[in-house]
Amino acid sequence: MLIGILQPSYMPWLGFFEQMARVDAFVLYDDVQYDKQGWRNRNRIKNSQGIQWLSVPILTKGKRSQLINQARIDPTNKWDLKHLASLETNYKKAIYFDHFYCQIELLFNKKWNYLLDLNLNLLNLLKEYLGIKTQIIISSSLLKRLPKDASPESRLIEICEKVGGDTLYEGAAGQNYIDARIFKKAKIGLIYQQYNHPIYKQLYGDIVPYLSVVDLIFNEGPNSLTILGLKK
């Protein structure tokens, strides 16, 4: 059984969903430390000038050690209206804008207190639109936190074992920090993602890779899953 384990991200890039679609069970790693400069609360879309960042404001003062599932959204910031306006402005001429914008608008119009809840609901919306059937599991629902000195490999292996997985489908960056010997000893296989970013229709000139998957959806609509390198 092939398992994917990734930290939840805000409207992630294409490779995130390729990984989700390839595996039998997909675990959101929500009980590790929140990183302020990572992808948990932000991503990129395309505009007429190039790239635009969309960031969800998070309360971080005095919370240096907070976990991802503890991160709260700043209630004083109208980020949701700004993000909707940016999506409408930059994608209203995209072929499938009307097909998808109404769905994401409904979600953004809800009040979100925790980043994890927002990201989880966005991921479910996006994967449903893409036609991905893989089950999403939250890591904090599986097991108690290991001691602080436990290796990253120990936690990943325990998650695999909890969901009955015998192979981990790991992102390409994992080759730089994962000790494969620990997995071999635990009899858990390792496969590293080698994702070739596809070429697809985009607005505003030459293609810009590694954007949020919403760029693909607005431009390609129901063809998106095939373009990801998968078939419905």
Side-chain angles (χ1 to χ4, degrees), residues 5 29 32 143-162 168 177-186 188 190:
I5 305 173
Y29 207 2
V32 291
L143 42 88
K144 296 179 180 179
R145 286 187 55 76
L146 294 177
K148 289 184 178 180
D149 58 350
S151 69
E153 291 86 355
S154 298
R155 188 70 193 284
L156 296 175
I157 288 168
E158 188 168 354
I159 290 173
C160 288
E161 291 174 344
K162 284 286 185 178
L168 175 64
Y177 59 82
I178 283 183
D179 188 341
R181 296 171 298 180
I182 299 177
F183 279 82
K184 185 176 181 179
K185 185 176 180 180
I188 300 291
L190 269 176

Side-chain angles (χ1 to χ4, degrees), residues 2 5 35 39 45 49-50 115 137 165 169 181 192 196 201 226 231:
L2 189 61
I5 305 173
D35 52 322
W39 298 96
I45 61 172
Q49 304 302 311
L115 178 64
I137 302 168
Y169 186 33
R181 296 171 298 180
Y192 293 105
N196 295 317
K201 298 174 186 175
T226 301
K231 293 183 179 179

